[in-house]
Amino acid sequence: MAATPSSRVVIDLDVPGPTINRHLYGHFAEHLGRCIYGGFYVGEDSPIPNEGGIRLDVVEALKALDIPNLRWPGGCFADEYHWKDGIGPKADRPSMVNTHWGNVEENNHFGTHEFMALCELLGAAPYIAGNVGSGTVQEMSEWVEYLTRDGDSPMVRLRKANGRDEPWQVPFWGIGNESWGCGGNLRAEAYADLARRYATFVKDHGDNKLYRIAAGASDNDLAWTEALMKAISCLGCGRDPKNIFQAVSLHYYTVAGTWEHKGSATDFNLDEYYRTMIKAQEIERVIRGHSAVMDAYDPDRKVGLVLDEWGTWWDVEPGTNPGFLYQQNAMRDALVASVHFDIFHRHAERLVMANIAQTVNVLQAMLLTDEDGALVRTPTYHVFEMNKGHQDATAVPVHIVEQPAPYDLDGRSMELVSASASVKDGRALVSVSNLDPVAALDVVLDLRGAELREPVGRLLTASKPQAVNTAADPGAVAPVPLGLEPEPRGLRVTLPPHSFATISSAV
């Protein structure tokens, strides 16, 4: 019998790195398919328990993740959304057509007040994406005033007439979305000028200090990022770039096939599995490229990089509306998430926020729901929950000094081991994944600089990478205890194929 492959991971627990911003564990909710209606929002008259129409079991499930922020209303939808249509009595709100996602009618029953109530229930910071594509500077400026201004003004009076006396805290504001595509099909320089203009009128009111995020590039489009960085460098004019916008965004999806034929979420072979993990790991190269461009204009790293759309994208489930982007979520998706988080942690000095697409019933969702009241936690949900201890922790160096040889496919390589670690409040959290879909892995965690006291291991795996959770079997993929064996310099764990594990301990 062949020996089990092995790996040694050196972790320097006493060498502090950058803080892992909790907002790297952010989420995204667009008016798309059943993310809002039938997901977050069921209406006040629904037999499903709700508060103001907001589904309470969804809220409770997400609160267990310590969800730090929620991005809304899009996505592509943001650039055709006019916020004044979504305030006031629901019966008086005009409807619209959601031309991007299914060409269905949107009744605007879930609007600004409902979103802010959702964020309050979740304990999450709001991240609002404003309308640059079909909106106006005045419209965006007035939305900020409506939300965040105190005292007396036209928009304050309108907010109070709609039942909210006190202003909200809204820390994050997006200046449009995918302006190179669905947000306007603009050239980089044209959008950069627009972003400067819009951001000028998206003002701080009172003690609400906005973190303005310019709509950034897709994948490897470094020229788009450079155009934005040139725009805020002000070409030597001496103005502080933080007074224009404070971050630029980036979108990156893990698509194993082509955009026309992405592949199935559940019916895939080993080659498709490997292609998926290779694509997931390539996000590190993409982040490094954009960071290098930003470093040239912002060596002190005052401007943040925000990956506000990421995740897997598969063909929709058979029999569902192709515009609703409903897909199942397998163990493979969970490993895509674990790999991304390890990479995020390594780049936490520049990468300050990330938002998975999307939270409920769309793309790589945390939760799947149905109209009968069922709620399913996906395998990806469990990675977020197991990893939540990394939020606002101090990243520490991780060196994978021994591991099986990379898997090569079509001239591209895939590392079979992924890991990261952090320390916060006297506790260490180590995350490690065995990405090999067929072989178990013995891992020695070589822990240096501190001793672990009463470590606890948790394991997420399944009978096969295609395994999913359903309403009939919601626990098919769920965390279980992981056995830990002491080693002279740390711990030894055995990871099954296609598995993710965390080890938490006082130090």
Side-chain angles (χ1 to χ4, degrees):
M1 180 179 295
T4 301
S6 62
S7 177
R8 186 163 67 95
V9 180
V10 175
I11 303 170
D12 295 313
L13 294 168
D14 61 342
V15 181
T19 297
I20 298 168
N21 196 317
R22 69 184 182 277
H23 292 295
L24 291 174
Y25 285 78
H27 294 258
F28 176 29
E30 184 168 6
H31 288 243
L32 195 175
R34 294 190 300 107
C35 184
I36 300 296
Y37 300 104
F40 279 112
Y41 187 77
V42 293
E44 295 94 329
D45 298 331
S46 173
I48 298 172
N50 68 85
E51 183 172 322
I54 296 168
R55 186 168 167 163
L56 290 176
D57 58 351
V58 167
V59 169
E60 290 306 308
L62 294 174
K63 285 175 68 176
L65 304 181
D66 294 341
I67 174 173
N69 71 73
L70 186 63
R71 180 176 182 245
W72 173 86
C76 294
F77 182 80
D79 281 301
E80 63 180 8
Y81 180 69
H82 300 283
W83 69 271
K84 288 183 181 178
D85 293 342
I87 59 175
K90 290 184 174 63
D92 297 338
R93 297 182 189 180
S95 62
M96 61 177 286
V97 176
N98 188 338
T99 62
H100 289 293
W101 304 120
N103 210 36
V104 296
E105 186 174 351
E106 156 73 50
N107 62 20
N108 279 310
H109 284 188
F110 187 94
T112 295
H113 287 252
E114 290 75 22
F115 173 67
M116 296 305 297
L118 171 60
C119 289
E120 289 176 339
L121 288 172
L122 291 170
Y127 172 10
I128 289 179
N131 182 345
V132 171
S134 68
T136 65
V137 172
Q138 179 180 351
E139 180 181 18
M140 192 181 296
S141 177
E142 288 182 342
W143 200 3
V144 177
E145 179 185 335
Y146 183 91
L147 283 160
T148 66
R149 188 173 179 84
D150 202 358
D152 186 40
S153 77
M155 292 301 104
V156 171
R157 291 192 290 274
L158 180 59
R159 184 188 71 231
K160 290 181 177 180
N162 288 326
R164 173 77 182 199
D165 289 340
E166 299 299 318
W168 290 283
Q169 289 290 309
V170 180
F172 304 115
W173 199 274
I175 310 298
N177 169 80
E178 293 191 357
S179 296
W180 40 264
C182 64
N185 285 308
L186 298 172
R187 295 177 301 107
E189 292 76 14
Y191 170 73
D193 286 342
L194 267 183
R196 287 168 58 96
R197 178 176 174 228
Y198 272 74
T200 300
F201 293 95
V202 176
K203 296 183 181 295
D204 294 339
H205 293 279
D207 62 355
N208 187 83
K209 305 301 180 185
L210 286 174
Y211 192 81
R212 301 164 185 84
I213 302 167
S218 174
D219 291 19
N220 298 299
D221 188 357
L222 302 184
W224 187 279
T225 295
E226 184 165 26
L228 292 179
M229 295 307 295
K230 284 181 178 179
I232 60 174
S233 72
C234 207
L235 299 179
C237 72
R239 184 183 304 159
D240 185 346
K242 292 192 297 182
N243 289 333
I244 301 175
F245 43 83
Q246 290 72 55
V248 299
S249 72
L250 171 68
H251 290 178
Y252 183 89
Y253 285 96
T254 296
V255 179
T258 65
W259 280 106
E260 293 75 22
H261 303 286
K262 303 176 188 70
S264 168
T266 57
D267 184 12
F268 54 88
N269 58 33
L270 282 181
D271 276 0
E272 290 171 308
Y273 171 89
Y274 288 122
R275 288 192 183 96
T276 301
M277 304 315 301
I278 289 169
K279 178 70 172 176
Q281 291 180 349
E282 285 178 351
I283 184 61
E284 183 146 33
R285 176 181 54 79
V286 172
I287 291 172
R288 282 177 176 156
H290 290 280
S291 295
V293 170
M294 295 176 74
D295 285 347
Y297 294 88
D298 175 36
D300 296 328
R301 297 185 174 178
K302 294 180 179 180
V303 179
L305 179 61
V306 172
L307 182 65
D308 54 14
E309 290 187 27
W310 69 272
T312 57
W313 195 324
W314 310 118
D315 295 333
V316 301
E317 291 300 302
T320 66
N321 188 320
F324 284 6
L325 304 189
Y326 178 79
Q327 64 187 41
Q328 248 296 358
N329 191 298
M331 185 67 215
R332 175 179 63 166
D333 299 274
L335 294 173
V336 169
S338 73
V339 165
H340 274 66
F341 284 130
D342 290 337
I343 294 168
F344 295 170
H345 300 164
R346 288 196 287 274
H347 294 274
E349 191 170 5
R350 174 67 80 179
L351 190 67
V352 297
M353 180 189 289
N355 302 76
I356 193 165
Q358 293 187 12
T359 315
V360 188
N361 291 330
V362 172
L363 298 176
Q364 193 175 351
M366 302 295 103
L367 305 172
L368 304 177
T369 70
D370 65 29
E371 60 187 14
D372 296 325
L375 180 146
V376 174
R377 292 164 175 80
T378 67
T380 298
Y381 172 97
H382 294 302
V383 173
F384 274 74
E385 189 276 325
M386 293 167 70
N387 252 8
K388 67 181 181 180
H390 289 301
Q391 294 186 26
D392 287 337
T394 300
V396 296
V398 173
H399 310 279
I400 303 174
V401 297
E402 297 174 11
Q403 63 174 315
Y407 185 88
D408 293 325
L409 180 69
D410 301 332
R412 301 158 72 197
S413 293
M414 165 192 155
E415 300 293 337
L416 296 176
V417 182
S418 182
S420 63
S422 68
V423 176
K424 180 175 70 174
D425 299 332
R427 292 196 67 84
L429 180 61
V430 178
S431 300
V432 59
S433 300
N434 175 17
L435 304 180
D436 193 318
V438 295
L441 181 71
D442 282 338
V443 181
V444 172
L445 300 175
D446 189 341
L447 304 164
R448 302 183 181 182
E451 293 185 1
L452 300 189
R453 301 193 301 274
E454 300 181 354
V456 175
R458 301 174 71 197
L459 175 70
L460 185 72
T461 191
S463 59
K464 57 185 179 179
Q466 295 87 351
V468 300
N469 292 332
T470 64
D473 190 2
V477 185
V480 296
L482 172 67
L484 306 175
E485 298 179 26
E487 281 280 321
R489 299 188 67 166
L491 296 170
R492 179 185 294 272
V493 297
T494 299
L495 300 182
H498 51 266
S499 65
F500 167 68
T502 57
I503 297 91
S504 175
S505 176
V507 292

